[in-house]
Amino acid sequence: MIFYFYKETYKIILSMKQLLISFYFIFLFTQSAFSSHLYGTELTYTCAGNDNYTFKLTVYRDCAAISIGPITPFDASAYFTIFTGDGNLYENKPAQSYYSADYNSSNNTLVSVQLSNPCLIPPMNTCSEATYYEFTVNLPFNSLGYHIVQERCCRDNNVVNLLNSGTTGMTTSIFLSKEAQQFCNNSPTFNEYSNYFFCINETTEADFSAIDLDGDSLVYLLCVPNSGGSPF
């Protein structure tokens, strides 16, 4: 499941910042087994002016020390591809087909645990960790916009609503629209991500609210996540 944001200004839905945040999450139950794969990503950007944009990819993983396999390490580098709005590959320099951001362990943070019911006791081997990768690139104005894309394999083995989730990759992308370039806008960001535990057959609520630095209102949509990235 991914959240698809539209910015809404003056009560008119605009594509000023048509943000596609690929934010995959698992419903974890107390009797479930746990795996050690990556399980979520989020891609955002900030505008620094003069057509310079900093893109930030946040990656979430299961960091529990479990017996079924080693903990998945964060990648030494994250690689991104940029396409113009018509689907053509954008090369900032000749033969530069991708952009990279290096891993920095100081960016690692543990994800807080949220219980849907105070009677729930999470398993002792529960651990979720996040890190982020950043890179800055100059993107000259393009009326068709830009798609910034990152692919990775694979999702967590225990995602119950996906077939063969452990061998299914995920694609995270964000669209930099014509209007976003004209106004040097910034993308919305989620306020906080938590590791949620839900009781089976119990109605509950989870907070996936977001904030926009430019003060624009947001409209939330749900859509099917993109697969991508082959198993290593």
Side-chain angles (χ1 to χ4, degrees):
M1 182 183 297
I2 55 177
F3 290 89
Y4 190 59
F5 282 111
Y6 283 93
K7 295 187 65 169
E8 188 177 36
T9 307
Y10 307 113
K11 297 184 179 180
I12 300 176
I13 296 178
L14 300 176
S15 60
M16 183 177 294
K17 282 192 304 190
Q18 189 176 357
L19 168 64
L20 178 60
I21 294 183
S22 296
F23 199 68
Y24 309 90
F25 60 95
I26 312 165
F27 295 98
L28 301 177
F29 304 104
T30 56
Q31 65 266 43
S32 297
F34 296 88
S35 76
S36 55
H37 284 205
L38 306 178
Y39 67 84
T41 56
E42 177 185 355
L43 183 56
T44 59
Y45 67 82
T46 55
C47 176
N50 297 318
D51 297 330
N52 294 310
Y53 301 89
T54 297
F55 293 92
K56 179 180 179 180
L57 175 74
T58 304
V59 180
Y60 300 88
R61 71 171 178 178
D62 181 353
C63 54
I66 53 177
S67 59
I68 63 173
I71 298 172
T72 298
F74 288 121
D75 293 333
S77 298
Y79 298 95
F80 305 81
T81 306
I82 299 177
F83 300 90
T84 54
D86 55 1
N88 290 318
L89 181 66
Y90 173 75
E91 295 181 342
N92 191 30
K93 298 178 181 179
Q96 182 178 4
S97 59
Y98 68 87
Y99 303 80
S100 64
D102 293 333
Y103 169 69
N104 187 337
S105 60
S106 64
N107 297 335
N108 294 8
T109 57
L110 291 177
V111 179
S112 62
V113 173
Q114 297 289 334
L115 304 178
S116 66
N117 187 313
C119 296
L120 270 175
I121 300 177
M124 295 296 294
N125 62 347
T126 299
C127 177
S128 295
E129 189 176 26
T131 196
Y132 64 86
Y133 303 82
E134 286 186 323
F135 75 101
T136 300
V137 62
N138 183 273
L139 296 174
F141 177 78
N142 188 316
S143 61
L144 298 177
Y146 293 95
H147 293 279
I148 293 80
V149 182
Q150 197 266 346
E151 289 187 327
R152 179 64 164 84
C153 182
C154 287
R155 293 182 175 90
D156 192 283
N157 284 320
N158 293 325
V159 179
V160 297
N161 60 341
L162 288 176
L163 294 176
N164 303 316
S165 61
T167 58
T168 301
M170 51 188 168
T171 297
T172 309
S173 66
I174 192 168
F175 181 65
L176 182 65
S177 69
K178 168 186 174 181
E179 293 82 3
Q181 297 171 75
Q182 289 175 328
F183 293 97
C184 192
N185 272 211
N186 305 283
S187 68
T189 57
F190 286 106
N191 287 318
E192 181 181 6
Y193 178 73
S194 297
N195 192 7
Y196 285 96
F197 285 82
F198 302 127
C199 288
I200 293 178
N201 299 323
E202 180 180 279
T203 301
T204 190
E205 295 181 358
D207 182 8
F208 292 102
S209 60
I211 189 171
D212 187 274
L213 293 177
D214 304 307
D216 298 319
S217 60
L218 303 175
V219 176
Y220 296 75
L221 299 174
L222 296 176
C223 59
V224 178
N226 295 318
S227 61
S230 300
F232 297 120

